Amino acid sequence: MALQQIFKDVKKASRSLALMTDEERNEILNLVADAIESGLDDLLKANAQDLERMDPENPMYDRLQLTEGRLQEIAEAMRQVSRLPSPLGHVLKHRVLPNGLDVKRVSVPFGVIGVVYEARPNVTFDVFALCLKSGNACILKCGKDAIDSCQAGVDLIRRVLQQAGADPDIVALLPATHEATGEMLQAVGYIDLCIPRGSKRLIDFVRDTAKVPVIETGAGVVHCFFDEEGDLTIGRDIVYNAKTRRCSVCNTLDCLIVDSHRLAELPELCRPLADRGVKIHADKRAYEALKGGYPEELLVRVAGEDEWHTEWLSLQMGVKAVDGLAEALDHIDTYGSGHSESIVTENPEHARKFQSMVDAACVYVNTPTSFTDGAQFGLGAELGISTQKLGARGPMALEEMTTYKWLIEGHGQVRD
């Protein structure tokens, strides 16, 4: 089917969502969750075809891989979204003017949301759940690495929609080609908002190419600052969790910043990382502190500035020594991406300064950045982590998928 026809079909289908009740949307979400659980074998078979084409050493392999447990989590996340309050129809402002006009500002869907993503088949279900719950249709464009998995997911969703009497064209998957991405980004009049999820290269391309409105989800160059007054036990657990829980996701730790007064304890702070084979790229002072206390084959001296800009997406990270909080803040300001930043400290004033001065969507004190996630924030699934300041910022969930319109009611008033 020609892409323009797909755009037209989804736009037309999106209007049917305006008359769908929240109860009907919730029923569909629960039916899709049931279908995921009953269709595990088919979804895993399709995912296996994608996995066969990717090198297991590729950092994206973990993102691409679906397991029975992950699919169960996806189904449960969909049910969780169904239990959330509807973001639609909220009266955001209301006043009656002196002339008797009743004026309301009410939350409404965008209409059609396009999402460009790479090797993350779970995004297919996350996007659909949040779009349906917020009254939006969705056009999906995944990368070629995940096309079989995503196609199986969309086919399942469309079957459920048809069985439930809903228009299956409220969700569509485009071909995994560069041409499809280009046409999607030019689909003015059909796509109301586009959200890219993936590498910095993908995000930059979408931002620089799109004629439709874009919410930018930035790459996550994430730091954790171990302060002069940080608790070593807490810090060790936080660094380990932030780096190793899932190293291929955007909230994972990329650079540990350590106060120079605590360099003697750096080997102990990093010790659990060695058990997972984490490769450390250290500056001169951190390298000397770790030498002899961290496996030599996993320790690398930083050669230049490029490492500090790196979102590793693998079991690698930087370690930078600084002289105090001010220098740590300068480093984050220079190399951070505005995603998530953390401090480990027992000093309330240092914590307050860090929270106030760090320019990021999510700022943590004595807990890891691995919590930057819509579900972890109680928002259900998410469409991405926005690093923008205009509009959505941080995890984008139901409320972020709505705009508003003004409703004005009168009884014959005319303007002088």
Side-chain angles (χ1 to χ4, degrees):
M1 185 184 297
L3 294 179
Q4 285 294 315
Q5 189 60 51
I6 294 175
F7 299 153
K8 289 179 182 178
D9 290 344
V10 176
K11 185 68 173 181
K12 181 180 178 181
S14 71
R15 296 197 290 270
S16 69
L17 289 168
L19 300 178
M20 188 180 289
T21 66
D22 190 50
E23 289 74 18
E24 290 170 332
R25 288 190 286 268
N26 294 339
E27 181 181 1
I28 290 172
L29 289 174
N30 283 293
L31 288 172
V32 172
D34 293 342
I36 291 170
E37 292 178 338
S38 63
L40 289 175
D41 289 345
D42 290 339
L43 294 172
L44 291 173
K45 182 179 179 180
N47 184 240
Q49 293 174 319
D50 289 328
L51 291 171
E52 285 179 4
R53 296 191 296 267
M54 181 176 285
D55 182 352
E57 297 301 317
N58 188 321
M60 300 299 290
Y61 190 89
D62 178 63
R63 287 187 174 189
L64 175 62
Q65 187 172 36
L66 292 175
T67 64
E68 185 172 331
R70 288 182 180 181
L71 286 169
Q72 295 280 5
E73 290 173 2
I74 289 169
E76 183 51 39
M78 195 159 290
R79 294 189 181 101
Q80 183 181 353
V81 171
S82 77
R83 295 191 290 266
L84 294 172
S86 172
L88 301 175
H90 293 181
V91 178
L92 307 174
K93 288 186 178 181
H94 181 206
R95 61 173 60 95
V96 178
L97 304 182
N99 63 3
L101 285 179
D102 188 290
V103 180
K104 295 177 183 176
R105 193 169 83 177
V106 181
S107 59
V108 297
F110 279 100
V112 177
I113 293 177
V115 180
V116 186
Y117 55 110
E118 295 173 327
R120 297 189 66 174
N122 64 295
V123 172
T124 302
F125 294 105
D126 292 348
V127 170
F128 169 75
L130 289 173
C131 283
L132 180 67
K133 181 73 177 184
S134 58
N136 292 288
C138 56
I139 296 177
L140 308 173
K141 167 61 180 67
C142 72
K144 66 180 185 302
D145 291 331
I147 187 61
D148 288 320
S149 304
C150 296
Q151 188 65 64
V154 169
D155 288 346
L156 180 150
I157 291 168
R158 288 174 63 90
R159 285 196 301 271
V160 171
L161 288 169
Q162 199 154 25
Q163 292 164 5
D167 192 333
D169 285 333
I170 61 174
V171 57
L173 179 68
L174 300 184
T177 64
H178 294 299
E179 291 76 17
T181 304
E183 288 202 42
M184 180 182 188
L185 299 179
Q186 308 295 312
V188 176
Y190 298 113
I191 294 177
D192 299 288
L193 177 67
C194 185
I195 301 172
R197 291 192 59 174
S199 65
K200 185 177 186 300
R201 180 181 177 184
L202 170 68
I203 294 164
D204 289 346
F205 173 77
V206 170
R207 183 192 60 235
D208 297 340
T209 306
K211 289 186 178 179
V212 298
V214 172
I215 293 182
E216 183 177 343
T217 60
V221 180
V222 174
H223 302 85
C224 177
F225 173 48
F226 187 69
D227 183 46
E228 179 181 2
E229 298 185 45
D231 182 288
L232 180 60
T233 300
I234 289 175
R236 184 176 58 224
D237 292 344
I238 286 172
V239 171
Y240 180 77
N241 183 260
K243 180 67 254 181
T244 67
R245 191 196 70 86
R246 282 192 71 185
C247 65
S248 64
V249 296
C250 62
N251 60 28
T252 193
L253 177 62
D254 294 297
C255 182
L256 170 63
I257 307 171
V258 59
D259 189 285
S260 58
H261 290 91
R262 305 298 296 274
L263 281 172
E265 296 159 285
L266 185 57
E268 178 60 21
L269 186 65
C270 296
R271 179 182 52 79
L273 300 174
D275 296 335
R276 290 292 303 276
V278 175
K279 188 175 184 179
I280 289 179
H281 301 254
D283 73 350
K284 181 178 179 180
R285 288 193 291 175
Y287 182 87
E288 292 301 324
L290 286 167
K291 195 174 181 180
Y294 198 80
E296 186 176 349
E297 66 275 12
L298 296 176
L299 186 58
V300 179
R301 171 82 177 272
V302 170
E305 291 296 296
D306 288 347
E307 285 89 344
W308 306 129
H309 285 289
T310 301
E311 182 184 20
W312 292 103
L313 300 175
S314 63
L315 289 174
Q316 300 185 69
M317 68 180 230
V319 178
K320 169 73 175 177
V322 297
D323 295 321
L325 175 60
E327 192 175 328
L329 291 169
D330 286 343
H331 185 88
I332 292 171
D333 185 60
T334 301
Y335 300 103
S337 61
H339 191 292
S340 300
E341 308 291 355
S342 176
I343 184 174
V344 178
T345 186
E346 297 299 304
N347 184 315
E349 181 62 16
H350 285 190
R352 186 192 67 80
K353 285 184 178 179
F354 190 86
Q355 288 182 307
S356 299
M357 298 180 72
V358 165
D359 186 11
C362 301
V363 183
Y364 295 82
V365 175
N366 292 326
T367 194
T369 54
S370 47
F371 284 107
T372 300
D373 177 88
Q376 292 296 314
F377 283 13
L379 305 176
E382 69 180 37
L383 270 79
I385 309 295
S386 171
T387 56
Q388 294 181 167
K389 297 182 183 180
L390 181 62
R393 195 178 195 194
M396 293 184 293
L398 291 174
E399 289 186 12
E400 289 72 30
M401 293 302 101
T402 63
T403 181
Y404 58 80
K405 64 182 175 183
W406 294 91
L407 302 179
I408 305 96
E409 296 184 15
H411 194 71
Q413 294 94 328
V414 295
R415 184 172 177 177
D416 294 334

